[in-house]
Amino acid sequence: SQQGEEDPQALSIQEGENATMNCSYKTSINNLQWYRQNSGRGLVHLILIRSNEREKHSGRLRVTLDTSKKSSSLLITASRAADTASYFCATGPNNAGNMLTFGGGTRLMVKP
Amino acid sequence: ETGVTQTPRHLVMGMTNKKSLKCEQHLGHNAMYWYKQSAKKPLELMFVYSLEERVENNSVPSRFSPECPNSSHLFLHLHTLQPEDSALYLCASSQGRRVTGNQPQHFGDGTRLSIL
């Protein structure tokens, strides 16, 4: 079954606005990762946040993790047209030998 | 240069054909993965190899046959595919001697497969 589920499924904003995407999951995790996928391309790793971390930043990206609510959010500040892509969360389980599980993604469109 | 190169980028084949997808990683990673990405479905893990040994097979039909001759190369051999197998097939790699969900994965740009 799907571990991570993103919300919303699609998001359309104007350039310069902030974009927030959410991810919820069901079982305990070791880490949560966010990836970006441009149309026709592979996934690109953005950020990994471990279960004992609450917030992490990378450039215009801010990721939060709330393990009590089993949820994470990805905030992109001052969005650009080039941020248009699909964004996926992936959960790394606590059990050794188990794999990353990806959600269905949020399609973000940033209008110039 | 993504570090993970997949060929071909596009492939159209009939249901009776046999073809192979190739993946090569230049990152010195020990683990390699095949994923299937279909429209409106989450990424599906197909096969995982660590140090050239298969460590996971998520009940993939036998018409898909993986091969990992060394830690830099991964193949997916295809035969007698069905129309529902049309999808984007992504290869990925990650560091670490043990395969876990605790490392970032580096993806190629995929092979877009269409079955006629």
Side-chain angles (χ1 to χ4, degrees), chain B residues 30-72:
Chain B
N30 290 319
M32 297 186 76
Y33 309 77
W34 278 118
Y35 287 92
K36 176 183 179 182
Q37 187 176 36
S38 306
K40 299 185 179 182
K41 291 176 74 174
L43 215 58
E44 299 174 54
L45 178 64
M46 300 176 72
F47 301 102
V48 182
Y49 277 83
S50 176
L51 298 172
E52 304 149 43
E53 289 191 24
R54 193 160 76 191
V55 298
E56 184 149 328
N57 171 359
N58 283 335
S59 301
V60 177
S62 59
R63 57 185 184 269
F64 295 91
S65 174
E67 179 189 359
C68 188
N70 55 62
S71 59
S72 298

Side-chain angles (χ1 to χ4, degrees), chain A residues 20-31:
Chain A
T20 300
M21 289 159 269
N22 302 297
C23 171
S24 60
Y25 57 92
K26 295 182 174 66
T27 61
S28 64
I29 61 171
N30 172 282
N31 71 90

